Amino acid sequence: MTKDSLSASTKTEDLIVQSLMEISSGDIESALKTLDQVISATPNFKLAHLVKGDLLMARAQQFEAFGSPHPSSEDVAGYRDEARKRIERYLDKSSDQLIPEPIWQLDGSQSYIFVVDADKSRLFVYRNENGKAQYTADFYVTIGKNGSEKKYAGDKKTPLGVYFTSPKLTQKLADTYGDAAYPLSYPNEWDRREGKTGSGIWLHGTPHDTYSRAPQSSDGCVVLSNQDLSKLAPILQQGNIPVVVSKGLEWLKPNQTSKDKQALLDTIEAWRKDWASQDTEEYLSHYATEFSNGSLDLHHWSEEKRRIQASKPNVDITISNLSLLRYPNSALPMAVVTFDQNFRSSLLDSKMRKRQYWIQENQQWKIIYEGAA
């Protein structure tokens, strides 16, 4: 999948924004011609129909305000918001040259990563170039009716965090989900720890009579047009694509590195060495006071590790395919770390994919969750 193969999906958006810019400059006839191109290509693009209707009313000198001939003020407000979000992105392409700060390092299995900017209603696609993210494309998206930061079932909010996609659902879905739906791993390990509830958060399409929806109009899912979702299908069919959903995104230049990344890498290596040396107390010092693996708290985890390591067996531990993603919008600096772990001793030879959540406790990186990925 290349940038060129995704870029065609922006043509419809470019044309609708072009028509709005032509309107702002007073060139009504050009705007109508541009809108005709949009409607011809995407007859179900309701925003385009609304704008064209307003222009025709304006030409007949009956126009009062954007969407004035239409009865539903809620719908019109949604169309206004959609137009504004699309124009803002059209006018600001600076992020094409920048990288979202949460992407610290990708491993070899992560060929792509998606970043959803909940504030801007955009899904950004990045390709993995030797562990670094390379901008590929971006798409307009819809999020929850009540915004972001989901906490409980039925709150109609989109969760903020780091998630992973599952394969396309194969059962027949209601038309509201469009051509396809790909579940996200909400609630993740951290969500469950925080007591967040709910399920069924998907990347999905739009009803077939609707090209796109207002920026905040889903029940919590991330919604793309069917056309845009089909462009992403070759990526999504790979499964397990990381998806970072954030608000208040920070952006870095490609040669910039988060100040916390190297400190975390150094601490991960210290944790590995202390475990391999069977220095139990040093090893346990890497775990946060509030650590839990979902069943054991720090006290019981420590007891178990002291029992296992009491005989000081000779072990060899290596980690590879290391991924680091800063967890967005967390109260304290936090990162999701995923890697392949190879553990060897005289009694055991095991390989596993592991996931850890590291948090800063007293300005030091500590593990607050650990388990199989």
Side-chain angles (χ1 to χ4, degrees):
M1 178 65 62
T2 65
K3 182 176 179 179
D4 288 343
S5 65
L6 291 174
S7 62
S9 63
T10 65
K11 182 178 180 181
T12 297
E13 180 170 51
D14 287 348
L15 286 173
I16 189 66
V17 173
Q18 178 184 325
S19 72
L20 295 170
M21 301 298 285
E22 289 166 343
I23 293 169
S24 69
S25 65
D27 192 349
I28 304 301
E29 295 306 317
S30 292
L32 284 169
K33 290 178 181 178
T34 303
L35 286 165
D36 284 340
Q37 292 183 61
V38 176
I39 293 169
S40 175
T42 51
N44 59 353
F45 199 166
K46 295 181 179 180
L47 174 60
H49 284 284
L50 178 71
V51 175
K52 182 178 179 181
D54 282 345
L55 287 183
L56 293 173
M57 293 291 287
R59 196 163 63 176
Q61 298 182 340
Q62 299 174 17
F63 177 75
E64 296 174 8
F66 180 76
S68 59
H70 300 267
S72 172
S73 60
E74 182 179 348
D75 286 347
V76 171
Y79 291 131
R80 285 197 189 104
D81 287 344
E82 179 181 349
R84 179 172 56 82
K85 298 284 189 184
R86 291 183 182 276
I87 290 172
E88 286 174 352
R89 174 56 182 155
Y90 182 84
L91 294 176
D92 181 12
K93 294 289 188 179
S94 61
S95 55
D96 292 8
Q97 309 301 320
L98 303 174
I99 303 299
E101 191 273 340
I103 306 177
W104 286 2
Q105 181 171 306
L106 300 174
D107 72 66
S109 69
Q110 297 168 332
S111 54
Y112 286 88
I113 182 170
F114 297 168
V115 177
V116 176
D117 187 330
D119 296 323
K120 297 182 178 180
S121 297
R122 303 301 296 190
L123 183 152
F124 293 87
V125 180
Y126 295 88
R127 186 175 64 253
N128 185 349
E129 296 282 355
N130 300 316
K132 295 184 178 181
Q134 177 68 45
Y135 169 80
T136 302
D138 63 274
F139 304 90
Y140 169 83
V141 296
T142 292
I143 64 167
K145 291 182 177 72
N146 293 323
S148 56
E149 204 162 4
K150 184 175 185 64
K151 293 183 178 178
Y152 57 86
D155 63 7
K156 299 188 184 301
K157 291 185 177 183
T158 298
L160 300 173
V162 176
Y163 303 98
F164 297 86
T165 63
S166 294
K168 176 182 173 181
L169 294 175
T170 56
Q171 68 264 37
K172 184 175 177 58
L173 301 173
D175 186 56
T176 188
Y177 300 111
D179 287 344
Y182 301 84
L184 296 180
S185 57
Y186 175 88
N188 62 25
E189 301 91 346
W190 186 251
D191 294 324
R192 290 193 290 271
R193 178 192 172 96
E194 293 290 282
K196 296 180 180 180
T197 60
S199 60
I201 301 299
W202 304 342
L203 289 176
H204 69 76
T206 52
H208 290 90
D209 66 350
T210 304
Y211 176 74
S212 59
R213 295 165 60 177
Q216 293 186 196
S217 59
S218 81
D219 288 337
C221 294
V222 178
V223 182
L224 298 91
S225 73
N226 291 321
Q227 291 90 330
D228 290 346
L229 194 61
S230 70
K231 292 285 183 181
L232 293 176
I235 297 174
L236 287 164
Q237 71 186 8
Q238 301 172 25
N240 207 35
I241 304 299
V243 181
V244 178
V245 188
S246 177
K247 61 181 182 181
L249 263 177
E250 296 180 40
W251 299 82
L252 301 178
K253 295 179 180 178
N255 60 349
Q256 282 183 292
T257 301
S258 171
K259 60 183 176 62
D260 291 323
K261 175 187 171 182
Q262 190 57 52
L264 178 56
L265 283 170
D266 292 343
T267 307
I268 292 170
E269 176 59 11
W271 164 81
R272 186 199 65 80
K273 286 181 176 179
D274 290 336
W275 186 15
S277 71
Q278 297 290 282
D279 188 335
T280 305
E281 298 311 311
E282 282 299 313
Y283 164 75
L284 291 173
S285 73
H286 294 290
Y287 289 82
T289 306
E290 299 300 320
F291 169 82
S292 171
N293 70 346
S295 57
L296 300 177
D297 61 14
L298 180 61
H299 174 72
H300 292 94
W301 174 269
S302 299
E303 283 187 338
E304 178 69 5
K305 293 301 178 181
R306 289 188 181 106
R307 181 188 66 80
I308 293 172
Q309 298 180 12
S311 62
K312 301 294 183 184
N314 291 323
V315 301
D316 179 67
I317 300 166
T318 60
I319 61 176
S320 58
N321 290 325
L322 181 66
S323 164
L324 292 85
L325 300 172
R326 184 181 63 77
Y327 204 88
N329 306 114
S330 55
L332 293 172
M334 187 165 72
V336 181
V337 178
T338 311
F339 54 87
D340 293 332
Q341 175 183 293
N342 191 347
F343 180 100
R344 292 181 182 178
S345 71
S346 59
L347 300 175
L348 181 65
D349 186 348
S350 72
K351 296 179 181 180
M352 68 178 296
R353 186 73 172 159
K354 179 173 279 188
R355 179 161 298 133
Q356 296 175 328
Y357 287 67
W358 289 74
I359 196 165
Q360 281 196 3
E361 182 178 273
N362 298 323
Q363 298 184 326
Q364 291 184 318
W365 284 108
K366 304 280 185 177
I367 303 167
I368 199 163
Y369 168 86
E370 179 175 319

